[in-house]
Amino acid sequence: MPNILLTTVCRPFGGPGEGDSVGAELFHAQVTREQGIFSYRQVIRCWGLDYIAENIQAPTVVLHYPSEREFVRELKSHPYDYVGINFVVATFHKVKRMAGLIRRHSPKAKIILGGYGTVLNDEQLYPLGDHICREEGVGFMRRLLGEDVTQPIHHPYAPIESPRLYSYARGTKVAHITGGLGCPNGCDFCCTSHFFNRQYVPFIQSGSELYDVILHMEQESKRAGDNLNGFIIIDEDFFTQTKRAREFLKCVRENGKQLSIMGFGSVRSLSQFTADEIAEMGFDVVWTAVEGTESGYNKLRGKPVSELYTSLKSRGVAILTSMIIGFPYQDREQVLKEFRRFTELGPALWQILIYFAFPRTPFYRRAIAENLYLPEYREDPDYRTFDGFSMHFRHPHFSPDEIEQLQRDLYRKSFEILGPSLMRVIRTWFEGYRNLKGSSNHLLQGRADRLAAEVRSAVAGIYPAILFGPNRERRAEVHAFLREIERDMGNLTVKERLLCWATVPLSLWTGFANYLNLFQQPTLLRIQHRKSTSV
């Protein structure tokens, strides 16, 4: 059998000549950016590579975030027949360097390019790669290797560490489960939707199958000796698959098991379920979007957003909300008006991106047809800026510098208005506990107990927010919140107070490390699947 090496692009991320919004950490790079010591730190695995390696028969090694030295060492140590690189457009410059290293140190290996970066054209990619995967990767690799493409997809146990807070690793892990790829919503800027031509590619067909995969992950975590405390369901709009979601809810109800899930859902799909049903399923965090008030996307139709958010938060569901600035209808006054509405919704976490003409999307085709692209991006684009943090087209009201500065200002203002996301998540779980305790629904009562335990264990993180929050108002809010917790759940024990004070020097160390750029990069994770005599 051929020997396969699958790899992410090489670190470092965010250094000289690198953008700071694309890397191994989604939270710190995009969601909790500008939150300083309060930012969530979590390295995300490139789960697509784990899925491919788990579902082909050939001996395979997967590298997550090697340095160039580690990558070269791997190439020189083993005779690989194929080397696959997963990348996005913003990391295309890294692929150029890696392809050169492969040609030099493993000249017999065929190079496979995959991931959303393959929206670039053949003239750019084929000088670097022998094969280009512009589809679901497991089926592509099975066909390339002559394997059976009809075999079912097996879900690998590929956990990641829970987010670190104040540099403290909690010792728990989160498992990834892929519900499916692609999205039928088809927003005009969305690469992930149009990469699959607005088609949904299911990895899990039914709710009972999803529940069985969750149980399998728990069994695998026990074998590995991991403390698994939650799941991330990778699915662009999980609740759109209504039949599957309701069958999953039925399984949860029948088994009575408390789950902790992060997932994704649009206003339209979430509106098909009650807040109680979403809470019963076990969703603790839901990523949704408001985009722009006049953007007109079908996914935004449903219950009034304020009503939807209020109901979800009352059940302890923390909301991560995306907003977009730079729509053609927006001037500065309109952006600030929508931003006020955005903050009034009170999300626990947030993302603010610039409207962006990503290759192969309808907006990209329109920008090309109407000659909207700025000359420097039509003729010799710097792909490192294809990240949602740069403007590439002529806007009727903003220059690129103006919109990019406004984006930075809004991230900073949202932190000043809403405070640390960590505190908002804890607050949401606390409200869920208070509203659900005493419920006659045993799942919701169990959820109240679980959320209470989560709040109590998170109390230690409150002291830095009292001392170092973004302004006096937010610090006072957090102080009042701590008193509220003690009134409802009892005074802190001596041990808890000691832990609270221990987070203060940890938070100071976090600020120091951030300032000096110490320990900010991921480390290599190497996984070997199916040994061979030559590897």
Side-chain angles (χ1 to χ4, degrees):
M1 282 190 178
N3 292 308
I4 315 296
L5 175 64
L6 302 176
T7 182
T8 66
V9 294
C10 292
R11 64 178 196 273
F13 300 100
E18 300 280 342
D20 67 353
S21 64
V22 176
E25 297 188 60
L26 175 62
F27 281 114
H28 187 63
Q30 295 192 16
V31 176
T32 55
R33 65 187 290 131
E34 300 293 338
Q35 295 195 28
I37 62 173
F38 302 103
S39 183
Y40 283 33
R41 305 303 303 264
Q42 182 183 47
V43 174
I44 305 294
R45 286 171 71 158
C46 186
W47 49 268
L49 299 182
D50 295 315
Y51 266 82
I52 293 171
E54 187 77 10
N55 285 280
I56 58 177
Q57 297 175 16
T60 304
V61 169
V62 176
L63 302 180
H64 293 274
Y65 313 117
S67 66
E68 285 194 1
R69 178 179 295 180
E70 290 165 338
F71 181 56
V72 169
R73 184 178 65 202
E74 186 71 39
L75 293 173
K76 294 170 72 173
S77 300
H78 307 295
Y80 287 108
D81 299 287
Y82 293 94
V83 179
I85 307 172
N86 180 283
F87 73 106
V88 296
V89 171
T91 57
F92 179 55
H93 62 291
K94 292 179 177 288
V95 175
K96 292 180 180 179
R97 286 187 56 82
M98 294 175 72
L101 294 173
I102 297 167
R103 300 299 190 207
R104 186 183 317 154
H105 299 289
S106 187
K108 294 183 179 180
K110 299 294 185 181
I111 299 176
I112 307 167
L113 302 182
Y116 292 119
T118 60
V119 296
L120 298 176
N121 60 49
D122 288 354
E123 290 75 19
Q124 294 167 296
L125 297 182
Y126 269 115
L128 305 176
D130 302 287
H131 304 278
I132 300 174
C133 173
R134 292 189 172 107
E135 58 183 274
E136 184 275 306
V138 172
F140 175 90
M141 287 298 296
R142 284 174 171 174
R143 286 196 303 276
L144 180 65
L145 300 174
E147 297 181 8
D148 185 357
V149 298
T150 65
Q151 289 297 307
I153 297 290
H154 181 260
H155 298 265
Y157 177 63
I160 59 176
E161 300 290 337
S162 297
R164 283 180 289 119
L165 302 166
Y166 311 131
S167 302
Y168 176 73
R170 291 183 286 167
T172 56
K173 293 190 176 182
V174 180
H176 282 77
I177 299 173
T178 301
L181 303 175
C183 177
N185 288 323
C187 299
D188 64 345
F189 62 87
C190 182
C191 173
T192 56
S193 182
H194 294 283
F195 188 86
F196 293 100
N197 299 313
R198 296 187 63 175
Q199 300 298 309
Y200 181 70
V201 182
F203 274 36
I204 293 178
Q205 301 287 345
S206 67
S208 59
E209 182 184 351
L210 173 57
Y211 194 81
D212 288 343
V213 171
I214 286 175
L215 296 181
H216 170 71
M217 295 295 174
E218 292 183 331
Q219 292 169 355
E220 291 297 310
S221 72
K222 291 177 181 177
R223 291 192 186 98
D226 293 336
N227 182 4
L228 190 68
N229 76 338
F231 303 88
I232 301 174
I233 297 180
I234 304 297
D235 199 296
E236 294 285 329
D237 196 350
F238 174 81
F239 300 93
T240 293
Q241 308 298 318
T242 310
K243 181 180 178 181
R244 185 183 65 184
R246 292 205 174 278
E247 185 175 312
F248 175 64
L249 173 59
K250 180 182 177 183
C251 291
V252 176
R253 284 172 169 170
E254 288 175 348
N255 291 275
K257 187 177 184 62
Q258 281 295 312
L259 299 174
S260 176
I261 299 172
M262 176 181 174
F264 303 77
S266 65
V267 170
R268 182 175 64 176
S269 68
L270 288 165
S271 297
Q272 300 176 96
F273 298 85
T274 67
D276 280 352
E277 290 172 332
I278 294 169
E280 285 181 273
M281 290 184 212
F283 283 90
D284 288 344
V285 179
V286 171
W287 190 330
T288 189
V290 295
E291 313 299 22
T293 57
E294 298 177 31
S295 55
Y297 299 126
N298 287 332
K299 69 180 183 182
L300 301 178
R301 298 175 181 173
K303 295 177 182 177
V305 177
S306 59
E307 175 188 322
L308 177 66
Y309 277 40
T310 298
S311 64
L312 288 173
K313 288 189 286 186
S314 75
R315 295 302 181 257
V317 182
I319 301 170
L320 195 169
T321 303
S322 295
M323 174 186 179
I324 291 179
I325 63 174
F327 286 113
Y329 74 85
Q330 293 174 327
D331 57 14
R332 186 178 185 87
E333 181 180 358
Q334 181 65 27
V335 169
L336 294 178
K337 178 182 176 181
E338 293 184 13
F339 177 71
R340 285 192 296 272
R341 175 176 175 266
F342 173 79
T343 56
E344 287 167 359
L345 290 171
L349 305 110
W350 49 88
Q351 180 190 61
I352 304 170
L353 296 182
I354 295 173
Y355 189 47
F356 176 55
F358 202 88
R360 285 184 64 179
T361 63
F363 181 37
Y364 175 80
R365 292 193 292 271
R366 179 161 61 87
I368 293 294
E370 298 177 9
N371 197 28
L372 295 177
Y373 255 91
L374 296 170
E376 59 266 35
Y377 288 105
R378 284 197 63 134
E379 297 162 6
D380 186 23
D382 181 358
Y383 288 125
R384 292 173 297 180
T385 64
F386 278 49
D387 58 356
F389 287 78
S390 302
M391 175 170 278
H392 300 154
F393 64 97
R394 290 192 298 275
H395 193 280
H397 306 292
F398 295 105
S399 70
D401 287 344
E402 288 171 337
I403 195 75
E404 291 161 21
Q405 181 59 53
L406 180 57
Q407 182 187 39
R408 289 190 290 270
D409 291 343
L410 295 184
Y411 263 107
R412 186 166 54 252
K413 287 180 180 178
S414 58
F415 180 45
E416 293 169 353
I417 293 169
L418 297 171
S421 287
L422 170 61
M423 296 300 106
R424 298 196 67 81
V425 170
I426 299 172
R427 160 65 78 175
T428 302
W429 292 347
F430 180 67
E431 291 301 323
Y433 148 72
R434 292 210 300 193
N435 287 313
L436 295 176
K437 66 179 180 180
S439 173
S440 59
N441 181 318
H442 74 281
L443 268 176
L444 296 181
Q445 176 57 59
R447 179 177 177 84
D449 295 338
R450 181 174 60 80
L451 292 177
E454 293 281 1
V455 170
R456 199 74 192 200
S457 67
V459 163
I462 291 180
Y463 271 35
I466 294 174
L467 296 171
F468 310 123
N471 50 51
R472 182 179 298 176
E473 290 78 12
R474 302 292 82 77
R475 293 192 293 270
E477 284 177 356
V478 176
H479 199 184
F481 177 41
L482 178 58
R483 292 197 299 270
E484 194 176 353
I485 291 174
E486 290 193 278
R487 283 196 302 270
D488 198 286
M489 307 176 82
N491 293 331
L492 299 185
T493 65
V494 172
K495 180 180 178 181
E496 286 174 326
R497 290 196 183 278
L498 289 173
L499 289 173
C500 286
W501 283 114
T503 60
V504 175
L506 278 175
S507 66
L508 292 172
W509 160 251
T510 299
F512 178 75
N514 290 350
Y515 180 75
L516 294 181
N517 196 30
L518 300 174
F519 312 112
Q520 302 297 300
Q521 295 295 326
T523 56
L524 171 66
L525 174 62
R526 182 184 189 274
I527 308 104
Q528 184 161 310
H529 299 255
R530 298 168 300 279
K531 293 181 180 180
S532 78
T533 55
S534 59
V535 176

